[in-house]
Amino acid sequence: MNPVTLAIDAMGGDRGAIVVVPAALKLLAKYNDTRLILVGDETIVQRELQRAGGKVSDRLLIHHASQSVAMDESPTQALRSKKDSSMRVALNLVKAGEAAACVSAGNTGALMATAYFVLKTLPGIDRPAIVSLVPTRTGNGAHMLDLGANVDSTPQHLLQFAVMAAVLASAVHGIARPRVSLLNIGHEDIKGNELVRETARLLTSSGLVNYIGFVEADQIYAGTTDVIVCDGFVGNIALKASEGVAHLIKKIMREEFERNLLTRLAAVVCLPVLRRVGRRINPDHYNGATLIGLRGVVIKSHGGANADAFLAALERARLQAAKNITAQISQEVSRLLNQTEAGSA
Amino acid sequence: MNPVTLAIDAMGGDRGAIVVVPAALKLLAKYNDTRLILVGDETIVQRELQRAGGKVSDRLLIHHASQSVAMDESPTQALRSKKDSSMRVALNLVKAGEAAACVSAGNTGALMATAYFVLKTLPGIDRPAIVSLVPTRTGNGAHMLDLGANVDSTPQHLLQFAVMAAVLASAVHGIARPRVSLLNIGHEDIKGNELVRETARLLTSSGLVNYIGFVEADQIYAGTTDVIVCDGFVGNIALKASEGVAHLIKKIMREEFERNLLTRLAAVVCLPVLRRVGRRINPDHYNGATLIGLRGVVIKSHGGANADAFLAALERARLQAAKNITAQISQEVSRLLNQTEAGSA
């Protein structure tokens, strides 16, 4: 892959540089074709760099930023009063072409608003969306969007999301024509709300993606589709509900294994198995959602990510930058523009 | 509790009377204050009754119905051409006052359409909704609606759902003022789509329920609320996504425990624990969704339910009939009618 430079918001997330810096060093050790620019308070970043046994080099630069965006800060507030925030400066580096991608574990709303303001959307894209890889039984995972950037989306928006996610899935999984589905409450054409039915008509008539029809939410993790498209409200609910159930099952299992001495012994015996199960459904592997539709690669890490989870987000950014996802998407979207007015709406 | 009579659609579900009849006999053995009317093809019901070692008595009647609704039959088709279906006749018995509740494992769309046509909605209720008890970490469970009866709901519909579910939760859990929440993608007032924000204003101003605010989908199973209100599209997606994750985790655990001889031995050791975990998250216990808002108790069992799961649905019907849920709801809804025009819309 082409060598890439990533701009990293070193102050973002619940623990900022304490998590970001060690993850950055792990990435550099893993890929010698990658350069990193750590953006944030120079003294703090330096301190964490020393603590983690790393140092500035031609592959690891520090770019000072005097401000940082709080996790609970309002997007408009951040946009107005944090012009020198680590988040904003990292995005500026992407806009200036000094970095191919930006990674931040900061405040989602602020990142979305600032990225939208700094980078703007690609021609033909009305709104950026949040797309993430979700685990599937087959192991490859599926790309799902929108996960909360847009509520009350229109069919044209969902069509744009589908086109963009198909390009991403194709590049990431190396499949020519990813299977694209619409999330709905039934398979039949008559099922669902006006939004999905109209979007289904659009997807079919446009012929831009390999649309395979409606998928019900219990099939999200079945591996029967590569791309799952839905409104941001619905996508966010589906993903959070899934997290809720995983937590419920985890808590019940812990309770039952801690019930008494016998169950505790049983736990010891099957710990290796349970560990492997845990690794396979470990959300850390899937950390790093893409803010898709912008003029540059922007990856949002979970705010509570640990170093390994943040590393996964960095690897996602590196892959998408190296594969030049942005150019691929804008090329595909131009085909959309040529055949429909949706993009210019 | 008052003695109750339940009308059971003996032909509904994937396996019909083969599942329904044994479940009916279990219920009769468990509660001697309950009468059952098995509605369906008399010869088939008789045959299953004999096979299960039961017989007709003053507490177990058979009411012949010459037709049955197919699981894949369209609601309109069923409504038009199946006037003597086991489903329809069971609902007629409720309308005629011969039974206090109807239970069916048949085609959801057909049951909803037929129940709506036969029983009609309560004064002040525009549309019936599907409400179900979902498991929570605290163990009590929470009532969630709408789970798919209505898409593109209005704020007034969601207000009606909230009032009805609060009555149900109060009666089932014996709590005076159940905590009612709105499913949303964030806690803050500014979060979410127009529907939830407007519904939040309605719930607050009406003061009819103990509205505690927005709840995110990862909190559905946390036990922090007693009633969760959402549009039917969103509710169905949340529930199905949850099922999907549970299946994913189950499959991965099976794979890892079957990996080799050692893991198989580990499985044997912790089988009792895993069994107990399974029982606690067993969807069978939660089988039986209520079609709420009708002039009578109607319970929909999962089509693939086994006898134990169908028994759970029968017990739900018995409880709601004995507590006279319909009268309680219509009384509460009349308060809603008095203060808003929503009901007469």
Side-chain angles (χ1 to χ4, degrees):
Chain A
M1 297 203 297
N2 323 325
V4 292
T5 301
L6 310 180
I8 306 174
D9 170 7
M11 316 305 283
D14 301 341
R15 290 185 295 157
I18 298 167
V19 163
V20 171
V21 171
L25 294 174
K26 284 186 181 190
L27 188 85
L28 290 175
K30 202 166 172 183
Y31 307 97
N32 51 30
D33 64 357
T34 308
R35 272 177 81 244
L36 301 180
I37 306 175
L38 293 169
V39 183
D41 182 312
E42 186 152 21
T43 51
I44 294 174
V45 176
Q46 275 290 9
R47 190 190 64 213
E48 292 309 319
L49 206 48
Q50 277 153 26
R51 184 176 293 170
K55 63 180 197 313
V56 171
S57 72
D58 58 337
R59 289 181 54 218
L60 178 60
L61 289 70
I62 297 178
H63 189 116
H64 181 69
S66 62
Q67 297 174 301
S68 62
V69 176
M71 292 306 274
D72 57 359
E73 200 164 347
S74 91
T76 45
Q77 171 71 10
L79 206 53
R80 208 182 310 105
S81 66
K82 295 290 180 72
K83 294 195 167 50
D84 196 43
S85 73
S86 53
M87 180 188 281
R88 176 113 168 218
V89 173
L91 289 162
N92 288 337
L93 291 173
V94 174
K95 182 175 175 50
E98 294 176 46
C102 164
V103 183
S104 175
N107 178 330
T108 308
L111 181 63
M112 178 55 82
T114 311
Y116 189 22
F117 178 82
V118 170
L119 296 175
K120 307 284 182 293
T121 53
L122 290 164
I125 298 301
D126 298 323
R127 304 167 167 189
I130 299 173
V131 57
S132 184
L133 191 66
V134 298
T136 58
R137 292 186 214 164
T138 50
N140 296 337
H143 283 84
M144 184 166 169
L145 81 171
D146 173 31
L147 298 178
N150 311 279
V151 297
D152 301 318
S153 306
T154 67
Q156 286 73 17
H157 295 144
L158 296 193
L159 173 63
Q160 294 167 17
F161 297 167
V163 170
M164 294 192 289
V167 173
L168 183 61
S170 168
V172 170
H173 293 148
I175 37 179
R177 304 201 68 230
R179 298 159 297 174
V180 176
S181 329
L182 263 179
L183 190 60
N184 196 2
I185 62 173
H187 299 101
E188 309 82 352
D189 294 352
I190 52 123
K191 282 288 182 81
N193 54 23
E194 214 10 79
L195 174 63
V196 291
R197 289 202 304 275
E198 176 55 27
T199 305
R201 284 189 282 272
L202 266 182
L203 283 167
T204 308
S205 60
S206 77
L208 286 169
V209 298
N210 175 21
Y211 175 62
I212 62 169
F214 294 137
V215 63
E216 290 196 68
D218 57 355
Q219 294 300 300
I220 290 173
Y221 309 97
T224 54
T225 180
D226 303 303
V227 172
I228 300 155
V229 179
C230 57
D231 168 63
F233 189 91
V234 171
N236 184 280
I237 295 286
L239 213 68
K240 290 269 182 78
S242 304
E243 289 172 21
V245 168
H247 284 129
L248 177 70
I249 294 173
K250 196 173 172 183
K251 177 178 176 288
I252 288 174
M253 284 190 68
R254 177 167 290 117
E255 281 176 10
E256 292 302 336
F257 273 113
E258 288 174 352
R259 182 173 286 273
N260 57 44
L261 184 60
L262 233 66
T263 58
R264 285 207 186 82
L265 287 171
V268 174
V269 173
C270 58
L271 200 58
V273 183
L274 295 178
R275 280 236 179 84
R276 201 178 285 108
V277 172
R279 272 197 297 277
R280 284 181 61 182
I281 53 176
N282 184 353
D284 290 358
H285 299 330
Y286 297 91
N287 184 43
T290 304
L291 271 49
I292 201 164
L294 297 163
R295 301 176 189 232
V297 174
V298 181
I299 302 291
K300 164 69 171 92
S301 160
H302 192 289
N306 58 26
D308 287 336
F310 195 78
L311 174 62
L314 292 176
E315 292 187 275
R316 216 172 286 289
R318 176 185 165 277
L319 182 68
Q320 292 181 25
K323 293 199 177 266
N324 208 347
I325 285 293
T326 309
Q328 287 191 53
I329 289 174
S330 75
Q331 187 181 355
E332 202 57 29
V333 172
S334 64
R335 291 183 51 210
L336 170 61
L337 266 176
N338 295 340
Q339 76 165 220
T340 150
E341 292 309 298
S344 59
Chain B
M1 298 203 299
N2 323 324
V4 293
T5 301
L6 309 180
I8 307 175
D9 170 6
M11 315 305 283
D14 302 341
R15 291 185 294 157
I18 298 168
V19 163
V20 170
V21 170
L25 293 174
K26 285 185 181 192
L27 188 85
L28 289 175
K30 203 166 171 182
Y31 308 96
N32 50 30
D33 64 358
T34 309
R35 271 176 83 245
L36 302 180
I37 306 175
L38 294 169
V39 183
D41 182 311
E42 186 152 22
T43 51
I44 294 174
V45 176
Q46 275 290 9
R47 190 189 65 214
E48 292 309 320
L49 206 50
Q50 276 152 26
R51 184 174 293 168
K55 62 179 197 316
V56 170
S57 71
D58 57 339
R59 290 181 54 217
L60 179 59
L61 288 70
I62 297 178
H63 189 115
H64 181 69
S66 63
Q67 298 174 301
S68 62
V69 176
M71 291 307 273
D72 57 359
E73 200 163 348
S74 90
T76 45
Q77 171 71 10
L79 206 53
R80 207 183 309 105
S81 65
K82 295 290 179 73
K83 294 195 166 48
D84 196 43
S85 73
S86 53
M87 181 188 281
R88 177 114 167 216
V89 173
L91 289 162
N92 288 337
L93 290 172
V94 174
K95 182 175 174 53
E98 294 177 46
C102 165
V103 183
S104 175
N107 179 330
T108 308
L111 181 63
M112 177 55 82
T114 310
Y116 189 20
F117 178 83
V118 170
L119 296 174
K120 308 286 184 289
T121 52
L122 289 164
I125 298 300
D126 298 324
R127 305 168 168 188
I130 299 173
V131 56
S132 183
L133 191 65
V134 298
T136 57
R137 292 185 213 166
T138 51
N140 296 337
H143 283 85
M144 185 166 168
L145 81 171
D146 173 30
L147 299 178
N150 310 279
V151 296
D152 302 317
S153 306
T154 66
Q156 285 73 19
H157 295 143
L158 296 193
L159 172 62
Q160 293 167 19
F161 298 166
V163 169
M164 295 192 289
V167 173
L168 183 61
S170 169
V172 169
H173 292 149
I175 36 179
R177 305 200 68 230
R179 298 160 297 174
V180 176
S181 334
L182 262 178
L183 190 61
N184 196 3
I185 62 173
H187 299 100
E188 310 81 352
D189 294 351
I190 53 124
K191 282 289 181 80
N193 55 25
E194 213 12 78
L195 175 62
V196 290
R197 290 202 304 274
E198 176 55 28
T199 305
R201 284 187 283 272
L202 267 181
L203 283 167
T204 309
S205 59
S206 78
L208 286 168
V209 298
N210 175 21
Y211 175 62
I212 61 169
F214 294 136
V215 63
E216 289 195 70
D218 57 355
Q219 295 299 301
I220 289 172
Y221 308 97
T224 53
T225 180
D226 302 304
V227 172
I228 300 156
V229 179
C230 57
D231 168 64
F233 188 92
V234 171
N236 185 281
I237 296 286
L239 212 68
K240 290 271 182 76
S242 304
E243 289 171 21
V245 168
H247 284 128
L248 177 69
I249 294 173
K250 196 174 174 183
K251 178 177 176 288
I252 289 175
M253 283 190 69
R254 176 168 291 118
E255 281 176 12
E256 293 301 336
F257 273 113
E258 287 173 352
R259 183 173 285 272
N260 57 44
L261 184 62
L262 233 67
T263 58
R264 284 206 187 81
L265 287 171
V268 174
V269 173
C270 58
L271 199 58
V273 183
L274 296 177
R275 281 235 179 85
R276 200 178 285 111
V277 172
R279 272 198 296 276
R280 284 181 61 181
I281 53 176
N282 185 351
D284 291 358
H285 299 331
Y286 296 91
N287 184 42
T290 304
L291 272 47
I292 202 164
L294 298 164
R295 300 174 192 234
V297 174
V298 180
I299 303 290
K300 163 71 172 88
S301 160
H302 192 289
N306 58 28
D308 287 335
F310 195 78
L311 174 63
L314 291 176
E315 291 188 274
R316 216 171 287 289
R318 176 184 167 276
L319 182 69
Q320 292 180 26
K323 292 199 178 264
N324 207 347
I325 285 293
T326 309
Q328 286 192 52
I329 290 174
S330 76
Q331 186 181 355
E332 201 57 28
V333 172
S334 65
R335 292 183 50 207
L336 171 60
L337 265 177
N338 295 342
Q339 76 165 224
T340 146
E341 292 310 298
S344 58

